């Protein structure tokens, strides 16, 4: 009986530990993905500014992750074919939005 009680206690402690670690790992993965996206967005912003990319009349320019890799702004990305759209205010010329898009149109 004592051995059975010890096994039950160990099982409960293991279950609680597993539940806590799973939540912590999920949170860490989310934070890591956000950090990677922020790094890519900043790289795209730097690339557009430093290479004097032309914005169209609607106020946006697009850059592929492959371009950022080719010019050394990022490395080791999962999908280098993704496109990033950088939108700026037409009057102030301040970049307002950076996001992934399917097509740049």
């Amino acid at each position: 009986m004592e051995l059975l009680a010890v096994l039950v206690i160990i099982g409960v402690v293991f279950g609680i530990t597993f539940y806590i670690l799973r939540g912590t790992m999920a949170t860490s993965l989310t934070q890591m993905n956000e950090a990677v996206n922020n790094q890519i967005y900043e790289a795209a912003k730097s690339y557009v500014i430093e290479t004097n990319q032309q914005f169209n009349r609607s106020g946006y320019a697009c850059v592929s992750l492959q371009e950022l890799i080719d010019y050394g702004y990022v490395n080791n990305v999962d999908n280098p074919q993704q496109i990033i759209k950088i939108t700026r205010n037409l009057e102030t010329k301040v970049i307002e939005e950076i996001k992934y898009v399917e097509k740049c149109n």
Side-chain angles (χ1 to χ4, degrees):
M1 285 303 269
E2 291 175 9
L3 182 60
L4 184 59
V6 169
L7 289 175
V8 167
I9 291 170
I10 289 172
V12 168
V13 170
F14 178 74
I16 291 171
T17 303
F18 178 75
Y19 179 76
I20 291 170
L21 287 176
R22 188 181 75 180
T24 302
M25 288 173 45
T27 301
S28 296
L29 184 60
T30 300
Q31 290 174 345
M32 185 178 72
N33 286 339
E34 288 175 3
V36 167
N37 281 337
N38 286 339
Q39 182 181 16
I40 290 172
Y41 291 163
E42 288 302 316
K45 184 176 174 181
S46 296
Y47 174 76
V48 167
I49 292 169
E50 291 172 10
T51 60
N52 293 322
Q53 291 287 313
Q54 296 297 314
F55 285 80
N56 66 13
R57 291 182 184 180
S58 299
Y60 66 84
C62 293
V63 62
S64 72
L65 286 180
Q66 188 61 54
E67 284 179 81
L68 297 178
I69 293 168
D70 292 344
Y71 288 95
Y73 285 86
V74 295
N75 56 16
N76 298 331
V77 294
D78 292 335
N79 185 359
Q81 303 310 318
Q82 285 185 298
I83 299 171
I84 300 171
K85 182 177 181 180
I86 300 117
T87 307
R88 72 177 184 179
N89 186 299
L90 293 173
E91 294 175 10
T92 64
K93 309 293 188 208
V94 173
I95 294 176
E96 295 180 334
E97 182 180 41
I98 301 172
K99 65 180 181 178
Y100 289 109
V101 292
E102 293 292 322
K103 293 182 188 177
C104 190
N105 50 2

